[in-house]
Amino acid sequence: MSAHHQDVPSLLERIATTMSEAIGRVREDLAGADPVVRRSDRADFQCNAPLALAKRVGVPPRDLAAQVVAGLDVEGDAVIAAVEPSGPGFLNVTVTGAAVWEQVAARLADARLGVGVTEPGRRVVIDYSAPNIAKEMHVGHLRTTIIGDSLARVVGFLGADVLRQNHLGDFGTQFGMLIQYLDEHPDAAWHQDELGEGTSAVSALDGLYRSARAEFDADPEFADRSRSRVVALQAGDPATVAVWQDIVAESERSFSAIYDRLNVLLTPEDSVGESFYNPMLGETVRELVDAGLAVESDGALVFYSDEVSGPEGKPVTLMVRKRDGGYGYDTTDLATIRYRLRDLKANRLIYVTDSRQALHFQLVFEAARRAGWLTDGVTAEHAAYGTILGPDGTPFKTRAGGTVRLMDLLDDAVSRARAIVAEKNPDLDAAELDRIAESAGIAAVKYADLSTSRVKDYSFDVDRMVSFAGNTGVYLQYAHARVSSILHHAGDSGTTVDRAVPMHPAERELGLALDAYGAVVTEVADTLEPHRLCGYLYDLARAFTAFYDACPVLKADEPVRGNRVALCRLTARTLGHGLELLGITAPQRM
Ligand code: ARG
């Protein structure tokens, strides 16, 4: 890990501790209560404890506020400059400029920006992306890939042992059909090295699968041969398995091309597809039957939920084993959760899929709890997300009404970003323009997705996404590039901070914003909501802009200049780090 690290508690945390101690001193009956300290627009911070706690002890809030103030030693406090009772029972807290400068210096000196390792040794499984073999990745795989990757970065930064699991759809009867078709059409080109630039193996396979499907529907004899192929595949017939492996490998190469372009962490080592769990399905089912959790219904084995019921009290079930003896998606997820808990020994499970699968996961979690696999202290969470909509407010489709290929969508965003960047910066040479456009276009798509509240639907509006104005990825990249260019001219000034320099209000706002970085990162890990980090970075970029408008940096005299450069340095590092946690690259120039 880092060269040098020391946790830097934020001013908010330190004030909360001070307030909590003061409250405990003046009122024993309130010892340990949350002091409810927040940032405030009336002072630096506000403590809402008197209002929040007054009822509990039967004292008017104003009186409790006065008691708390009496319990504080403001004079002897290195952080607090003043505490003023305000309104019906708030305390406005102002901190000293020296304390803010001290935070800036401490964070700047630390390899982790002073952010603590809060999840050491915690094993977190994150299930995300999970495209289907021989099918092209489409717009439906965008959100899971982007959100899951950001969560993996955030939780990993906080010290957890993250296991990324790409639950590829690599098994099912459709592969029998496809393999049979390939066998009968040896001239069909689908390996990447037989295809031209601009098309992928997976797109060729997707097309061949459609042809196979058509033949299956039209020709009963082909359908029979396909069914025998499924049997051969499941029985492990070497020639059939070899083709299947080839299909999986070629598809994965195509997925990797998208992952590289999206700058996500997924590698082939993270692929643990559905087929991996095949050998465990039998035992899993047996265990559920023995526990009385899988029961017969119409020749099938099903799991009945105790917790959820359908319309008119109809039971809600998971299909554990079909009537024909086959196993499907539900069984695989039961074996998967059992494996992740029992063999991988996960402490936390996160599944990133769209919200239409909410019931499925609720039932899988319930079954795992009742089977004794999911125990207290271990959490299973469905990080559900909404649908990407087109301009007409219905699920996003191509003009012809087809599914949008992920590659096409990215190409489109990059070409629009290119136009915007070229306009803003006409003297970039072509190679650099390409590089920046790629980075900005991908950032635009990722940020637009991450910055909307996860569970909400959002509409895919490329022009808004690539804009330099507003809460966009491009705006943040641009803010980062702007600070970087100031630093480029700053020499080695700003590596130390003079605590005695009086603070301008815009410096103070920026310093306090920088000090709150760790809190938001922890919040994202707890809530699995990356949009909180996006909102933070956007506010930080605006605080920087306000500071830069009000406070000349390079033209100022020392020691003011040095302190301002230090603020710029910490801003650049915090923006860059935050963007990295979102999986967005931050170019030095835009
Ligand atoms: N392959 C599935 C799809 O494309 C998603 C799998 C999600 N993960 C899981 N463990 N079920 O919809």
Side-chain angles (χ1 to χ4, degrees):
M1 200 174 284
S2 58
H4 167 83
H5 170 64
Q6 176 106 51
D7 283 11
V8 180
S10 66
L11 290 177
L12 189 144
E13 290 171 286
R14 292 169 63 180
I15 289 164
T17 306
T18 306
M19 286 297 172
S20 172
E21 283 166 6
I23 293 167
R25 256 196 307 277
V26 295
R27 302 231 35 138
E28 244 170 61
D29 47 354
L30 289 176
D34 178 0
V36 205
V37 175
R38 305 281 181 262
R39 283 296 307 279
S40 159
D41 38 23
R42 279 181 244 165
D44 296 330
F45 297 94
Q46 196 170 61
C47 168
N48 299 344
L51 192 62
L53 300 174
K55 259 216 187 88
R56 243 167 78 180
V57 289
V59 174
R62 275 175 215 279
D63 296 358
L64 186 55
Q67 288 176 18
V68 174
V69 174
L72 283 165
D73 171 21
V74 173
E75 231 94 295
D77 196 287
V79 170
I80 297 176
V83 177
E84 307 271 336
S86 142
F90 305 119
L91 297 172
N92 287 341
V93 182
T94 309
V95 294
T96 65
V100 182
W101 286 129
E102 177 60 40
Q103 294 298 107
V104 170
R107 294 196 183 281
L108 204 49
D110 188 72
R112 295 176 52 88
L113 299 164
V115 179
V117 179
T118 53
E119 317 244 329
R122 195 149 177 231
R123 178 160 289 186
V124 182
V125 165
I126 308 189
D127 180 319
Y128 71 105
S129 196
N132 300 314
I133 295 297
K135 291 231 180 81
E136 198 130 37
M137 280 182 84
H138 54 79
V139 61
H141 294 111
L142 184 68
R143 301 207 68 189
T144 170
T145 305
I146 294 177
I147 296 168
D149 203 64
S150 175
L151 296 177
R153 289 167 187 266
V154 168
V155 176
F157 171 61
L158 295 178
D161 171 20
V162 175
L163 301 178
R164 298 182 296 265
Q165 299 279 292
N166 195 351
H167 194 79
L168 297 170
D170 63 352
F171 209 74
T173 50
Q174 72 275 24
F175 292 104
M177 190 193 302
L178 178 59
I179 294 170
Q180 187 59 31
Y181 187 87
L182 295 178
D183 200 35
E184 296 180 18
H185 298 81
D187 295 338
W190 59 276
H191 288 88
Q192 192 63 60
D193 56 13
E194 308 160 337
L195 300 166
E197 278 271 326
T199 177
S200 67
V202 85
S203 120
L205 285 167
D206 204 330
L208 291 168
Y209 173 72
R210 276 171 229 268
S211 311
R213 176 95 243 171
E215 195 161 329
F216 185 94
D217 292 338
D219 176 357
E221 281 168 25
F222 176 73
D224 281 342
R225 293 196 296 278
S226 296
R227 287 192 196 98
S228 319
R229 253 322 164 162
V230 176
V231 176
L233 178 62
Q234 294 185 340
D237 167 58
T240 305
V241 170
V243 182
W244 172 76
Q245 282 169 340
D246 195 8
I247 293 172
V248 172
E250 283 289 339
S251 302
E252 282 216 70
R253 269 194 278 281
S254 305
F255 299 152
S256 289
I258 294 210
Y259 294 154
D260 287 348
R261 197 163 180 206
L262 279 176
N263 182 36
V264 297
L265 303 169
L266 287 171
T267 69
E269 284 83 81
D270 303 318
S271 293
V272 190
E274 293 174 1
S275 65
F276 176 81
Y277 302 98
N278 277 353
M280 305 170 209
L281 298 176
E283 314 165 43
T284 305
V285 172
R286 221 169 305 124
E287 215 175 295
L288 291 170
V289 170
D290 289 348
L293 293 171
V295 295
E296 230 226 70
S297 164
D298 251 337
L301 279 176
V302 297
F303 165 81
Y304 286 96
S305 173
D306 273 353
E307 294 170 10
V308 200
S309 58
E312 291 155 36
K314 281 236 304 256
V316 173
T317 59
L318 286 174
M319 178 57 73
V320 178
R321 193 174 66 207
K322 296 183 203 154
R323 273 172 76 175
D324 64 5
Y327 301 122
Y329 190 66
D330 292 0
T331 322
T332 303
D333 260 324
L334 289 166
T336 304
I337 196 168
R338 177 175 171 270
Y339 176 78
R340 289 176 180 169
L341 293 164
R342 181 188 290 211
D343 300 276
L344 297 181
K345 308 211 181 314
N347 306 113
R348 184 181 192 184
L349 301 176
I350 301 169
Y351 291 80
V352 189
T353 80
D354 73 78
S355 49
R356 286 170 302 183
Q357 294 199 47
L359 181 60
H360 169 76
F361 286 111
Q362 197 178 346
L363 296 183
V364 169
F365 300 164
E366 180 190 340
R369 247 189 322 271
R370 285 168 60 192
W373 306 329
L374 180 57
T375 49
D376 289 350
V378 178
T379 51
E381 291 155 275
H382 179 213
Y385 55 80
T387 307
I388 303 184
L389 305 173
D392 61 352
T394 66
F396 193 38
K397 290 268 170 13
T398 61
R399 227 163 270 159
T403 29
V404 180
R405 297 169 62 226
L406 207 41
M407 266 303 182
D408 295 343
L409 180 148
L410 298 180
D411 285 341
D412 185 34
V414 167
S415 86
R416 303 224 208 163
R418 198 175 203 280
I420 301 265
V421 173
E423 188 187 300
K424 182 126 188 154
N425 213 336
D427 29 71
L428 283 175
D429 66 59
E432 195 172 11
L433 177 58
D434 282 346
R435 218 170 30 75
I436 294 175
E438 176 73 20
S439 170
I442 300 293
V445 170
K446 293 183 85 170
Y447 190 85
D449 196 299
L450 292 166
S451 60
T452 32
S453 165
R454 175 162 54 67
V455 293
K456 282 201 193 136
D457 299 345
Y458 73 89
S459 52
F460 198 87
D461 176 350
V462 186
D463 292 319
R464 190 178 49 81
M465 288 179 191
V466 300
S467 166
F468 270 98
N471 188 8
T472 68
V474 181
Y475 171 73
L476 289 180
Q477 285 182 314
Y478 180 64
H480 177 268
R482 212 154 50 115
V483 199
S484 301
S485 109
I486 298 165
L487 292 173
H488 192 70
H489 297 106
D492 55 10
S493 160
T495 44
T496 57
V497 176
D498 184 340
R499 278 84 165 153
V501 172
M503 259 197 149
H504 185 283
E507 293 173 327
R508 174 179 287 262
E509 272 304 309
L510 179 58
L512 290 173
L514 289 163
D515 193 40
Y517 181 57
V520 76
V521 175
T522 316
E523 212 177 284
V524 174
D526 291 345
T527 59
L528 307 179
E529 291 181 340
H531 77 269
R532 294 167 187 262
L533 177 55
C534 296
Y536 168 84
L537 293 174
Y538 181 54
D539 289 344
L540 178 62
R542 284 195 303 176
F544 175 77
T545 304
F547 153 79
Y548 196 58
D549 287 346
C551 304
V553 176
L554 299 172
K555 293 205 176 80
D557 295 323
E558 295 293 350
V560 171
R561 181 178 193 267
N563 279 21
R564 290 184 178 168
V565 173
L567 279 170
C568 292
R569 282 191 201 287
L570 188 58
T571 302
R573 275 184 56 199
T574 306
L575 278 176
H577 194 272
L579 287 170
E580 193 184 308
L581 290 183
L582 298 173
I584 293 174
T585 51
Q588 295 293 313
R589 248 188 105 180
M590 284 293 278

